[in-house]
Amino acid sequence: MARRQPESTWPPPPREAPTCALCERAVPQLTEHHLLPRSQGRRQGLRVTDLPTAMLCGPCHKFLHRTFSNVELAREYRDLAALRGHEDVQRFVRWLRTQPATKAVWVR
């Protein structure tokens, strides 16, 4: 009786792309966004490692920092629900969802 070779695990199965917490698109790479900006958290005596974060795609992350100051983010938009409730964010996310995840998106 011949021995069977174990089934190969190569190539590994493709991994699912991570999902942006704001626009919910599957993108190849995410960045860490501090919901309470680091500068504001340090002023409150918090360690950077204790600050709440969300994983965002590059365009969403850039949009937030171009739209809001760190003070605004700290005071009014400390969670994803508050960010999603802002009219400009809603408009941007609605448009961004129509763009392919592999396309480079310029944020003004």
Side-chain angles (χ1 to χ4, degrees):
M1 185 169 191
R3 296 184 92 180
R4 293 186 105 205
Q5 294 289 331
E7 287 191 34
S8 174
T9 58
W10 190 260
R15 287 192 288 179
E16 208 172 290
T19 304
C20 174
L22 193 59
C23 69
E24 299 174 345
R25 293 184 314 150
V27 293
Q29 187 174 10
L30 297 176
T31 59
E32 184 177 38
H33 170 68
H34 288 86
L35 294 168
L36 176 60
R38 290 180 295 191
S39 62
Q40 303 301 311
R42 282 192 293 254
R43 286 187 179 144
Q44 295 177 16
L46 300 172
R47 293 186 323 195
V48 173
T49 56
D50 294 336
L51 297 175
T53 62
M55 297 306 287
L56 303 179
C57 65
C60 283
H61 201 171
K62 288 177 188 174
F63 177 80
L64 291 180
H65 285 289
R66 287 204 165 93
T67 305
F68 305 109
S69 69
N70 282 348
V71 173
E72 287 176 307
L73 287 170
R75 286 186 186 157
E76 301 173 36
Y77 304 106
R78 291 175 80 157
D79 61 20
L80 288 172
L83 287 168
R84 286 186 188 118
H86 192 276
E87 183 180 334
D88 292 341
V89 174
Q90 290 173 357
R91 190 174 336 116
F92 177 77
V93 167
R94 194 169 34 252
W95 171 79
L96 187 60
R97 285 181 181 157
T98 65
Q99 307 303 310
T102 56
K103 179 182 176 185
V105 176
W106 291 95
V107 179
R108 289 188 251 154

